[in-house]
Amino acid sequence: FDVGSFNINVYLNPIANPVSDFVLCSDTNTTTFDLSVKESEVLGSQSSTDFDIKFYYSQADADAGLPGTEITTPILNSSSPQTIIVRIENVLNTDCYDITSFNLIVNLNPIVTPIVDLFQCDDDNDGFTLFNLTEANELISSNASNETFSYYLTLAEAQSGLVANQITNYLNYPNPTPLSGIVFSRIEASNGCYKTTQINLTVSTTQIPGTFNLPYNVCDDYQIDNDNTNGIANFDFSDATTQILAQFPPGQTLTVTYFTNLADALQEANAIVDISDHRNDASPYVQNIVVRVDSDVLNACLGLGEYITLTVDSVPVENTISDYILCDIGNGQADFDLTTKDAEVIGTQTQDILISYHETPDDAENNINAIASPYSNLTNPQTIYVRAQFDNNANGVGDTDECVSTDMSFQLIVNPNPVIFQPDIIQICNDQVNTTYDLTIREDQITGGDTTIILSYFESQMDLDNNNPIVSPNMYNNNLFNRDIIVLATGVNTCTSTVTLSLETILYENLDNTPKTIEECEVDNDGFDNFDLTRREIEILNGLDPLNFTFDYYEIEADAIAGNSNSISNPTSFVNTQAVTQTIYARVTPVTNQCFVIVPITLIVNPVPEIAIEDQYVICLSSAGQRITPTLETFLTNPPIDTQLSTMEFSFQWYQGEPVPGNEIVGATDSFYDPTTDGIFSVLATNVITGCTIPATTEVIASYPPESITINIISEAFSSDDIIEISVSGNGTYEYSLDHGLWQLSSRFESVNGGQHTVYVRDLYNCNEIFQVETIIDYPRFFTPNGDAYNNSWNIYGIENQPLAKIYIYDRYGKLLKQLDPTGPGWDGTFNGEPLPSSDYWFTVEYEEPSNGSMRIFKSHFSLKR
C-alpha cells in the first residue's frame, strides 16, 4: 500500500456591518467623498489585518471582485443620492467575503450675503444703543423664514456653532464699541448645512430736544370695557406728527412712528397702528408714548424718546347706591333727606365732589332742577338721579369740569307698617314671685301667623325709646305678680308697630314633690308587679285637704303636663310597664285654679335572688355507702351545691326536701351545702335589704363505681359465634364497652372475633371506670405476606398462653410445610426459604379448651394471597 496526506484549511467568513449614509454639505450638487472613512463602520469589531475592504460602483463588480474595478481614490458623486457597494473579504481567501452598501448624499448650503449692515438710533448721545439682530435675517438670506439664525462675537465661534458661545440677548444687543460693532451670524438650513455672515452695526445719535413734550388729557369713559374707573380711555393724538416734524429743518423725508415702550421702538416692533384711536390698556391713568423718527433716505435716526404723555382724568366713581326706604307717614308718602346719600355717592373717594339730585336723567345730565331736602316722594317707588363731578376749585387739579358721572340712581320706597293683634295674658304658676316667662309663646297670636314680622320686647317706653330690648325674651325673669310688656313688631321693610303683652304669676300650693319610693317584691323574676299608686297621696298633700285637689296618674311626663286623656285608668292596681324600675307622674290640680304640680313617683320591683344551682348533682358512694372521690369527670356536677350569692347581701337556710317548716337542715345557713347522701335538697335565700325571698330545689343522685370485673367466655374455641359475659362487683347500675366501642347496658357481647380484647365497665354517672383483658382462641381466614406490614404472617389467635400447644401447616396434598411456635411470630408463607404460591393451606392444632380444660385437636384451612 501507499500513504499520502492533505491539509484542510478553514477561513473565517467576514461580516459586512450596516453602513450609514455618507452625507456632505456643498454649495453645488457635487462634492468630493473620501470613502475610506467608512471602513471602520464596515469592519465593526473585526480585525483590519484579517480583512480587506473595497468599494465599487455596482453590485456586479463587488460580487466579482475583479482587480481594477474597485474605487481606490476620493471621488466626485455623480448624483445625490448615489449608491456605493462595499465588499469585505478574507485576506487569505478572497472567496470568503460579504457585501453591504451605503448612499452618497450632498446637502446644499444656505445661500447668504457674506456681509450686511444694521443701523440703529441712539436713545441718548453716548453712541451705544440696543440692536435687534434678527432684523439682519432678511438681509442675509432670501429664505430666512425656513432657516435657523444664531449670533456670535467671532467668526470662529459662529463656525463652531456651540450653544454656549451664542449671543443670548440678540433682541436687545448693545453695540460693543461706540457708534459701531461687528457680530457674526450662523445660518443653518433644515438639512444641517450652514454658512456664516458678518453683521456690521452702526449707531446714529440724532435726538429730539429733551424739553419737547406733547400732553393729551381725556376723561375716563365707558367705551369698549364699560368701566369708567379703570384709568383706560381712547386718545386721538394724530396732530402730534405735524408738531414733531416742526422740530426739524424742512426739506427732509422723515417717517414718524409711535410705540408704547422703548424696547419696541428700538426693534421697530409693535408700532401703534391708529394714533387717532389709541387706548392706554397697558398703562392705566398715565402712559408715555415713545416717538421714533427715521430718515427714509439714510435710515438715520433724528429722534427717539418719550415725547408724548397720555393722561386719563378720573371721573367720580359710580358707586352702587342703596334704595332709600322709609315708613309710611300717610298716603304712601314720607319725608326724605337726600343728603344722607352723599356718603354712598362718594364712597372711598378723597377728592371733593359736587353732588346734586334730580327727578329725571336729563335734569341730571344738564345740571338743572336740583332737588332740595327734605323731599316728599311723588310716587311709590320713585327713582332719583344723581349728578357727581369733582370740585376743581377745591382740590386744585386740572380742568376736568367735563368729567362728570350721571349714571347713578336709587329709589325712594315707602313701606307700610306691620299689622299686629292684641295678645292674651300669659299666666304662669310658680312657687315664688320671681318667675321665668317665655314671652315668645304669644308670637303667632300677635303677628297673626305672619312669619315675616320680627318681634322684640321692652319693659318700658323709655327702654323702647333707647332701643334697650329684653335680651332673652324666651327666658325673661319677672319679679312682679303683674306686669305689662311693650312688644315692638318689625316687618321685612323695617317699619314697626307696638302692642302690650300682660303677665300674671300665680303661686303653687305647698306640696311634697319628693314622695317615698313604692316598692314590691318579684314573684316570678320577670321585673313586673302590681302597684297601688294612691299610697303616696297623703304624703304628697303635705297636710292639705284632699277635697281641694284632684290626682291623675301618667306614665309619660309630657302627658301629665298636658293633662290629656292618656292617664292611668286604674291607679290602685297598676302593673308597671317598664321592668324593675319605672317613674309615674302624678298631676295634682287644685280645684280653685289650674296651677297643677307634677310629682314623680318611683316604682321599684325588687328582684329575687338568682340562685345558680343545677337541677341535679351526683355523689360517688362505695358499696358500704361511704362518700368517695370520683376518679373521672362525672357526667353530673359533684357537690357542694353553690348558690353563688354573696353572704353580705343574702341570708340562707337549707332544707332536706321542700323548703317548708320542719325540713330545715340544722346549721345549714351558708351560701352552699355539701350533702353526704342522695335525695332532694332546697334552699331559701333572703335579700337582707329588701326582704325579698325565693326558693330553689335540686336533686342529688348516688352512683356506685364498679369494684371488680369477671369475664366469662360462653362459647368454645374456634366457634363461629364467640360470646362473652361480664360480671361486676358493686351496688350500682353499669355500662359496658368492648375495645372502646359504643357503651351498652347489656353485659353480654356476641360475635366477638378471636384474639385479645379489652372489656371496660363504668357506672352510669362516670364516678370510675375499670377494665380487663381477655383472649379468645381463633384463627385468621387469610393472610397476605407482601411486606406491606398488614397480615404479613399467620398464627392462631389467643393461644400465646399455651406454650405446649402444637400447630402444623400442610399444603393441599398433605405435605407438612411448617410447625409453629404458639408464642412465635407465625408463618411467613415460605418453604425452605422459597415463597409459596397463593392457595389454600391446611392446619391442625392441639390445645387446651379454655371452657373445661380438656385437650382437643382442631383442623381447618386458610388462604395465602399474594
Side-chain angles (χ1 to χ4, degrees), residues 311-569:
T311 303
V312 179
D313 295 323
S314 298
V315 298
V317 176
E318 294 174 355
N319 293 309
T320 300
I321 305 172
S322 62
D323 292 337
Y324 195 167
I325 303 173
L326 292 179
C327 295
D328 194 354
I329 61 173
N331 300 320
Q333 286 187 310
D335 293 330
F336 295 88
D337 181 1
L338 301 179
T339 61
T340 59
K341 290 296 182 180
D342 288 356
E344 291 184 58
V345 174
I346 295 171
T348 59
Q349 300 172 91
T350 58
Q351 293 175 261
D352 290 336
I353 299 177
L354 299 176
I355 302 170
S356 58
Y357 300 92
H358 305 264
E359 292 179 343
T360 67
D362 288 340
D363 287 351
E365 185 71 29
N366 297 321
N367 196 19
I368 59 175
N369 302 321
I371 298 173
S373 295
Y375 174 75
S376 293
N377 56 300
L378 303 177
T379 61
N380 185 24
Q382 179 180 349
T383 303
I384 299 299
Y385 301 91
V386 184
R387 176 185 176 91
Q389 133 179 22
F390 288 123
D391 185 1
N392 300 318
N393 294 327
N395 57 27
V397 298
D399 184 9
T400 58
D401 286 346
E402 294 184 358
C403 295
V404 177
S405 292
T406 59
D407 289 334
M408 288 180 283
S409 65
F410 60 93
Q411 286 193 325
L412 304 181
I413 299 175
V414 178
N415 283 334
N417 299 316
V419 177
I420 57 177
F421 306 90
Q422 179 63 45
D424 295 334
I425 187 173
I426 300 178
Q427 292 179 327
I428 291 184
C429 303
N430 203 352
D431 54 5
Q432 60 181 0
V433 177
N434 288 333
T435 305
T436 300
Y437 279 78
D438 182 0
L439 305 180
T440 65
I441 63 174
R442 295 286 187 262
E443 181 174 304
D444 286 345
Q445 193 176 23
I446 294 172
T447 63
D450 187 348
T451 57
T452 64
I453 298 176
I454 299 174
L455 302 183
S456 52
Y457 304 82
F458 301 84
E459 286 187 338
S460 66
Q461 184 63 45
M462 181 180 294
D463 287 340
L464 177 60
D465 295 340
N466 294 326
N467 193 26
N468 183 28
I470 296 171
V471 177
S472 300
N474 60 335
M475 293 289 291
Y476 173 65
N477 185 39
N478 176 36
N479 56 10
L480 299 176
F481 281 112
N482 296 279
R483 181 190 292 274
D484 288 336
I485 298 296
I486 300 175
V487 182
L488 177 68
T490 304
V492 291
N493 51 23
T494 72
C495 295
T496 62
S497 300
T498 60
V499 72
T500 300
L501 174 63
S502 297
L503 311 178
E504 181 182 5
T505 301
I506 303 173
L507 294 180
Y508 284 116
E509 299 288 354
N510 184 24
L511 302 178
D512 185 350
N513 294 323
T514 57
K516 295 178 182 177
T517 300
I518 302 176
E519 299 187 36
E520 297 290 348
C521 292
E522 282 186 311
V523 295
D524 52 8
N525 259 356
D526 63 355
F528 297 91
D529 212 330
N530 194 290
F531 290 85
D532 180 3
L533 305 180
T534 66
R535 290 166 55 186
R536 295 292 181 259
E537 287 185 358
I538 298 301
E539 181 182 348
I540 293 170
L541 288 176
N542 199 23
L544 297 174
D545 189 349
L547 297 177
N548 294 330
F549 298 88
T550 61
F551 281 80
D552 296 286
Y553 297 89
Y554 297 84
E555 293 187 54
I556 299 173
E557 185 177 16
D559 288 341
I561 294 173
N564 57 32
S565 60
N566 293 329
S567 61
I568 296 171
S569 59

Side-chain angles (χ1 to χ4, degrees), residues 601-633:
I601 303 173
T602 302
L603 309 181
I604 296 179
V605 180
N606 289 311
V608 296
E610 295 289 341
I611 300 180
I613 64 175
E614 298 181 17
D615 292 337
Q616 290 183 324
Y617 292 84
V618 65
I619 57 174
C620 300
L621 299 177
S622 67
S623 58
Q626 300 295 320
R627 176 96 177 259
I628 61 176
T629 302
T631 59
L632 301 174
E633 182 178 353

Side-chain angles (χ1 to χ4, degrees), residues 65-350:
L66 296 177
T69 61
E70 69 269 18
I71 303 170
T72 58
T73 60
I75 63 171
L76 282 174
N77 61 300
S78 60
S79 63
S80 179
Q82 179 180 354
T83 300
I84 299 297
I85 310 302
V86 185
R87 174 188 175 105
I88 178 173
E89 59 186 22
N90 193 300
V91 297
L92 299 178
N93 187 344
T94 59
D95 291 334
C96 296
Y97 72 93
D98 196 8
I99 300 295
T100 188
S101 66
F102 61 91
N103 292 320
L104 304 182
I105 297 174
V106 177
N107 286 334
L108 294 178
N109 291 323
I111 300 173
V112 301
T113 302
I115 300 176
V116 298
D117 295 303
L118 277 186
F119 299 92
Q120 187 58 283
C121 303
D122 196 356
D123 58 351
D124 53 28
N125 292 320
D126 63 357
F128 293 93
T129 189
L130 300 177
F131 283 83
N132 180 357
L133 300 182
T134 63
E135 293 181 354
N137 295 355
E138 299 295 336
L139 302 176
I140 294 172
S141 172
S142 61
N143 193 32
S145 61
N146 297 318
E147 296 167 339
T148 302
F149 291 77
S150 54
Y151 308 92
Y152 302 85
L153 294 177
T154 67
L155 177 61
E157 291 175 348
Q159 291 173 338
S160 69
L162 293 178
V163 174
N165 294 332
Q166 290 180 9
I167 295 173
T168 58
N169 59 336
Y170 55 86
L171 294 177
N172 294 283
Y173 177 70
N175 50 298
T177 57
L179 302 178
S180 64
I182 296 175
V183 295
F184 296 87
S185 176
R186 176 187 176 99
I187 305 91
E188 294 185 4
S190 59
N191 58 20
C193 298
Y194 76 93
K195 297 288 282 186
T196 61
T197 294
Q198 177 178 313
I199 303 173
N200 296 325
L201 307 179
T202 302
V203 179
S204 298
T205 59
T206 307
Q207 184 172 324
I208 299 173
T211 57
F212 179 79
N213 184 264
L214 295 177
Y216 292 86
N217 290 69
V218 298
C219 295
D220 207 339
D221 57 39
Y222 278 104
Q223 297 180 28
I224 307 301
D225 54 20
N226 198 32
D227 185 352
N228 69 344
T229 63
N230 60 2
I232 299 174
N234 282 40
F235 286 85
D236 178 4
F237 55 95
S238 56
D239 62 346
T241 301
T242 301
Q243 299 183 61
I244 292 170
L245 293 178
Q247 305 301 313
F248 302 99
Q252 301 184 79
T253 303
L254 302 176
T255 297
V256 181
T257 49
Y258 303 89
F259 302 87
T260 58
N261 59 75
L262 185 60
D264 285 350
L266 290 172
Q267 299 175 32
E268 293 188 82
N270 304 316
I272 297 174
V273 177
D274 186 358
I275 61 175
S276 66
D277 188 18
H278 170 69
R279 289 181 65 80
N280 59 317
D281 299 270
S283 181
Y285 298 107
V286 178
Q287 183 175 38
N288 292 317
I289 301 300
V290 178
V291 179
R292 177 182 176 120
V293 181
D294 289 287
S295 170
D296 294 346
V297 177
L298 300 176
N299 195 28
C301 296
L302 296 180
L304 182 65
E306 296 178 345
Y307 297 109
I308 296 176
T309 302
L310 308 181
T311 303
V312 179
D313 295 323
S314 298
V315 298
V317 176
E318 294 174 355
N319 293 309
T320 300
I321 305 172
S322 62
D323 292 337
Y324 195 167
I325 303 173
L326 292 179
C327 295
D328 194 354
I329 61 173
N331 300 320
Q333 286 187 310
D335 293 330
F336 295 88
D337 181 1
L338 301 179
T339 61
T340 59
K341 290 296 182 180
D342 288 356
E344 291 184 58
V345 174
I346 295 171
T348 59
Q349 300 172 91
T350 58

